Amino acid sequence: MKKLIYILAIAVASFSCSKDDAPSTNTNIDNILVKKITETDASGNSTTYVHNYNGNKIVSIVNQDDSGDKEVFTYTDNLVTKIETYTEGEIVETSVYAYKDGKIDHIEITYLDEEHYEFKKAKKLSANKRSFKKTSGSEFSEIKERQEFTYNSNGTITIEDYDYDLTEEKFIRRPTTTTVKLLNGMQSEITISSQFEELEYKFEAKLIFKYDDKNNYYKNIVGLNNFMNLSYGVNNITSISISSITEIEGLTEYEKMFFDMFAGTLQAEGTFDYTYNSNKFPTEIKAKLKSGSELIASTIKIQY
């Protein structure tokens, strides 16, 4: 479920769809850059993120009401090679990107996670040998992961996950594989497969993205085209269909407290309705995700 929500968040943050209403005052399309994005949930709670640049390179994205909540970008030439995520002024995640032939080859991610640390400490688990480590003066653990990308001859992209083993001091393959496939010019498919024998855990998911040919609002930011390609299309998502099944067997009563909530099937549909300016860049997005009787809705406004 967390992986699905993460992917959906990428989609909402990176893409748009279909109406042309608002006027544009910027006539040079190559210089159109996002200044602010305001996200408002169904309860009316809003958060505004300010975008800072050096030319067309993104320097940071900062919460307007809390400068300690931000993302900071580092470039090598015209490629984004590091993204640091801060919460309350503390770094909680660092992603380092390596490239080959101009495409992302692998990503190494270091982040802090309290829940996993407390679970491992209580159960002394060795499954997958994740790199749980207390950080000084903190109740959080430091976790290191790696994703490796293979660009196949049939046009698909395969992503394999690894966890860092502190004992062996190397990354160990995790049994999770993601495959990205372009079905046609207006649709792509993502499949995710995980299986952990020690927990008798199996996860299968399929996501179908449909999108149009309008300008993405991050189109002119240097280096982000690599991320858009991995986010399952460089254009604007109009809908998402999600289906997944999670099977978990052989859990102790204690383990069920942590894992039972993820068992079962999930069917969800997402739709995205945008207003565009005359240059075909989005100025507003209305996003809805429906799963059973649950409906999540939000509105995002973009200023240039």
Side-chain angles (χ1 to χ4, degrees), residues 89-101:
E90 298 287 338
I91 295 180
V92 295
E93 182 173 319
T94 301
S95 299
V96 178
Y97 299 81
Y99 297 81
K100 182 178 181 180
D101 299 326

Side-chain angles (χ1 to χ4, degrees), residues 33-243:
L33 296 171
V34 174
K35 293 181 180 178
K36 292 183 180 181
I37 293 179
T38 300
E39 302 177 7
T40 304
D41 64 22
S43 299
N45 301 310
S46 295
T47 305
T48 297
Y49 296 94
V50 178
H51 293 53
N52 302 300
Y53 300 90
N54 178 9
N56 279 38
K57 294 181 179 180
I58 186 73
V59 173
S60 62
I61 300 174
V62 183
N63 185 331
Q64 181 173 267
D65 299 319
D66 181 3
S67 61
D69 180 7
K70 62 184 177 181
E71 287 186 323
V72 177
F73 297 76
T74 299
Y75 282 81
T76 299
D77 297 324
N78 288 328
L79 297 174
V80 175
T81 49
K82 184 167 65 175
I83 301 176
E84 296 169 301
T85 302
Y86 291 76
T87 298
E88 297 180 355
E90 298 287 338
I91 295 180
V92 295
E93 182 173 319
T94 301
S95 299
V96 178
Y97 299 81
Y99 297 81
K100 182 178 181 180
D101 299 326
K103 298 178 181 179
I104 295 178
D105 180 71
H106 65 266
I107 307 171
E108 291 191 5
I109 307 163
T110 303
Y111 62 95
L112 301 180
D113 187 287
E114 181 176 20
E115 179 181 326
H116 283 99
Y117 172 75
E118 294 300 333
F119 178 59
K120 180 176 171 63
K121 183 175 67 173
K123 295 295 293 179
K124 297 181 180 179
L125 290 182
S126 60
N128 306 311
K129 298 181 180 178
R130 297 167 69 85
S131 60
F132 298 91
K133 182 177 68 176
K134 283 288 287 276
T135 55
S136 178
S138 173
E139 290 301 319
F140 290 86
S141 60
E142 183 181 276
I143 300 174
K144 294 177 69 175
E145 298 181 346
R146 179 182 173 104
Q147 295 179 323
E148 295 189 353
F149 299 81
T150 301
Y151 300 85
N152 305 305
S153 59
N154 63 0
T156 62
I157 303 172
T158 302
I159 306 171
E160 297 181 337
D161 294 345
Y162 293 76
D163 293 306
Y164 189 74
D165 187 323
L166 285 173
T167 302
E168 298 188 26
E169 297 185 340
K170 66 179 182 180
F171 285 97
I172 304 297
R173 175 82 166 88
R174 190 200 312 167
T176 301
T177 301
T178 301
T179 302
V180 182
K181 178 169 62 175
L182 182 66
L183 298 179
N184 55 54
M186 302 297 289
Q187 185 169 312
S188 61
E189 176 184 287
I190 302 97
T191 57
I192 305 168
S193 177
S194 299
Q195 187 165 352
F196 295 93
E197 293 182 0
E198 290 185 52
L199 292 176
E200 298 183 50
Y201 168 95
K202 183 178 180 180
F203 173 80
E204 300 283 346
K206 179 181 288 186
L207 299 88
I208 301 294
F209 290 72
K210 295 182 179 179
Y211 42 91
D212 62 18
D213 59 355
K214 299 294 195 302
N215 291 320
N216 183 277
Y217 52 82
Y218 283 155
K219 174 182 178 179
N220 292 324
I221 298 179
V222 172
L224 289 198
N225 60 309
N226 291 289
F227 297 86
M228 291 177 182
N229 287 329
L230 294 176
S231 297
Y232 324 123
V234 298
N235 300 115
N236 315 296
I237 285 179
T238 57
S239 68
I240 302 175
S241 175
I242 303 171
S243 60

Side-chain angles (χ1 to χ4, degrees), residues 250-294:
L251 297 179
T252 66
E253 289 301 313
Y254 185 87
E255 290 167 342
K256 285 182 180 180
M257 293 191 303
F258 294 90
F259 294 107
D260 254 8
M261 69 182 72
F262 301 111
T265 61
L266 170 70
Q267 297 288 332
E269 301 289 336
T271 59
F272 308 89
D273 183 22
Y274 283 58
T275 299
Y276 285 81
N277 62 26
S278 60
N279 288 318
K280 308 299 184 183
F281 284 87
T283 57
E284 183 178 85
I285 176 173
K286 293 185 181 296
K288 294 180 181 179
L289 175 66
K290 183 175 177 60
S291 177
S293 60
E294 184 178 3

